[in-house]
Amino acid sequence: MNRIPRGLRASIFALALSAVGAIDSTSLDAQETVAANLGQDRAVLITGASSGIGLKTAEVLAANGFFVYAGARKQADLDMLNAIDNVEAVRLDVNVQEDIDAAVQQVTAGGRGLYALINNAGVVLLAPLVEVTEEDLAFQMNVNVYGPYRVTKAFAPLLIESEGRVATTGSISGIVTWGLGGPYTMSKHAVEAYTDVLAIEMAGFGVDVAVVEPGNYKSDIMASMVERMRERGYSTEGSMAKERMDALLASPADRGQYKEPDEVADAYLDFLTSDSPKRRYMVVPNEQEANATIRAHIRRLVQLNEDQPYEFTRDELMAMIDEAMAAEND
Ligand SMILES: NC(=O)c1ccc[n+]([C@@H]2O[C@H](COP(=O)([O-])OP(=O)(O)OC[C@H]3O[C@@H](n4cnc5c(N)ncnc54)[C@H](OP(=O)(O)O)[C@@H]3O)[C@@H](O)[C@H]2O)c1
């Protein structure tokens, strides 16, 4: 199956043709118009579109012919989003049911229906699991897990009506685990299960479901966390992980060392335009992150299998992997 995002495919095709002189600039414009209409004016709602992955995805989808309802919480962000062509801002805190209900009304009144929902809003919280307060853990789960649950539930009738698509921004932290990342990795592991169950339940209604699992990309997620911690007077004093927490908190909060999340936005474009969308889109900026994620999954498989009455042999496991690969590539 060809996994190059369709928008990219159309552009590559146009570039290849122009490189060999097969088309003139007029037909190149025509090709670009084809790429720009991939979304066919279909409506998509993206939560957490004020920055990072959500903003980039809003820009890419809007540029490819989708009509984007872009969720944000602050007036300045709503104004910024409203200034983008093909984008209409929606005031939406995923923890506030009144906001969600109003968003359903706004989208319904828009008269375009809703083809897709992208549950992207998310926060990160770092703390040792034996120290994190119940309040902080609830905050983490509330945004990253209950948020997608609430918003998807509210928009399900519109998505079923359009036989549309739902995706959630998970993370490679839905597969890998790392010390001090307990609250965040727990939330992103929950998103994995949420996606698989939702996919089973929506299959009969023609709604496709996916999780996009980014590695490390530039965004405001760490800066927001540091700001929240400062506001609450958080201190690492007395923590069992003081040194590591201090080191983590001292790393560049602007995540300027990472790439812009264009690849993540392209994965969303692929999910929304592919005839055979994938369930999982792992999108990482380098091989090292791919390697660590796949190995973490394999390690879990091996641990699950070993030393139990129905242990499978290596050959049997390999046959299972071959079978799964064949099924996915059907
Ligand atoms: N960047 C990465 O490397 C990376 C990797 C893996 C997964 N992710 C995931 O990607 C998603 C987007 O994060 P990001 O990295 O792009 O960070 P970001 O720039 O901080 O964006 C997070 C977005 O979520 C919004 N948000 C936070 N709490 C919200 C709430 N209660 N209701 C509605 N919106 C809320 C923020 O809005 P405000 O501006 O109003 O706070 C912002 O628009 C998250 O789910 C994150 O876990 C990111």
Side-chain angles (χ1 to χ4, degrees):
M1 197 183 304
N2 192 341
R3 288 293 177 208
I4 301 172
R6 276 192 187 176
L8 196 58
R9 247 181 267 156
S11 309
I12 291 169
F13 178 63
L15 279 174
L17 287 180
S18 77
V20 294
I23 55 173
D24 61 22
S25 58
T26 322
S27 45
L28 181 60
D29 285 349
Q31 286 291 337
E32 281 169 352
T33 308
V34 170
N37 280 332
L38 284 174
Q40 301 169 29
D41 303 320
R42 286 165 159 163
V44 181
L45 170 65
I46 306 174
T47 67
S50 65
S51 60
I53 289 171
L55 177 57
K56 185 67 76 176
T57 303
E59 290 168 345
V60 167
L61 295 184
N64 278 277
F66 284 94
F67 184 84
V68 178
Y69 290 108
R73 300 188 293 175
K74 298 184 263 314
Q75 191 56 48
D77 293 329
L78 294 162
D79 294 344
M80 175 272 292
L81 289 162
N82 272 328
I84 304 173
D85 280 350
N86 271 356
V87 175
E88 179 178 317
V90 178
R91 188 178 293 278
L92 180 53
D93 186 320
V94 300
N95 290 347
V96 178
Q97 191 59 46
E98 296 76 43
D99 276 13
I100 298 172
D101 295 342
V104 172
Q105 279 181 14
Q106 183 177 339
V107 171
T108 305
R112 296 179 172 85
L114 188 69
Y115 178 67
L117 167 64
I118 295 178
N119 289 307
N120 171 73
V123 290
V124 66
L125 192 142
L126 305 177
L129 280 176
V130 296
E131 289 178 8
V132 66
T133 64
E134 203 166 321
E135 189 190 358
D136 278 351
L137 189 57
F139 167 76
Q140 176 73 90
M141 292 295 176
N142 211 4
V143 183
N144 291 15
V145 184
Y146 282 58
Y149 148 77
R150 284 188 203 100
V151 179
T152 307
K153 188 174 173 183
F155 283 96
L158 285 173
L159 295 164
I160 288 171
E161 196 180 314
S162 66
E163 299 195 345
R165 301 188 179 183
V166 188
T168 302
T169 308
S171 168
I172 56 171
S173 292
I175 311 293
V176 300
T177 46
W178 36 281
L180 306 185
Y184 186 69
T185 58
M186 282 167 71
S187 76
K188 293 302 184 182
H189 275 62
V191 165
E192 296 289 318
Y194 175 75
T195 299
D196 284 327
V197 177
L198 191 69
I200 294 167
E201 294 175 354
M202 287 292 111
F205 298 98
V207 175
D208 289 304
V209 182
V211 53
V212 173
E213 297 137 325
N216 281 294
Y217 288 92
K218 196 169 168 183
S219 80
D220 290 351
I221 200 160
M222 287 302 285
S224 304
M225 182 195 75
V226 171
E227 195 182 313
R228 271 195 315 274
M229 288 170 119
R230 279 203 192 112
E231 274 170 9
R232 296 178 44 201
Y234 178 89
S235 158
T236 57
E237 225 40 65
S239 168
M240 68 191 282
K242 183 180 180 340
E243 266 177 39
R244 285 167 59 222
M245 281 293 285
D246 284 342
L248 264 174
L249 294 174
S251 58
D254 68 356
R255 294 176 72 76
Q257 73 273 39
Y258 296 119
K259 286 164 82 173
E260 290 286 344
D262 301 77
E263 295 152 7
V264 187
D266 285 346
Y268 273 118
L269 181 61
D270 187 47
F271 171 63
L272 296 190
T273 56
S274 170
D275 293 335
S276 47
K278 299 201 301 173
R279 172 72 54 79
R280 291 188 158 69
Y281 290 79
M282 179 177 76
V283 188
V284 290
N286 55 54
E287 190 180 344
Q288 188 201 343
E289 291 190 23
N291 192 310
T293 309
I294 299 293
R295 278 177 191 275
H297 219 52
I298 291 174
R299 209 161 40 244
R300 204 169 275 176
L301 181 155
V302 169
Q303 290 166 352
L304 192 65
N305 182 54
E306 76 182 353
D307 202 18
Q308 49 92 16
Y310 312 104
E311 188 171 339
F312 298 98
T313 64
R314 180 189 178 282
D315 286 350
E316 286 167 336
L317 290 177
M318 294 311 292
M320 285 182 195
I321 290 178
D322 285 343
E323 206 177 288
M325 287 176 83
E328 288 300 319
N329 290 322
D330 253 357

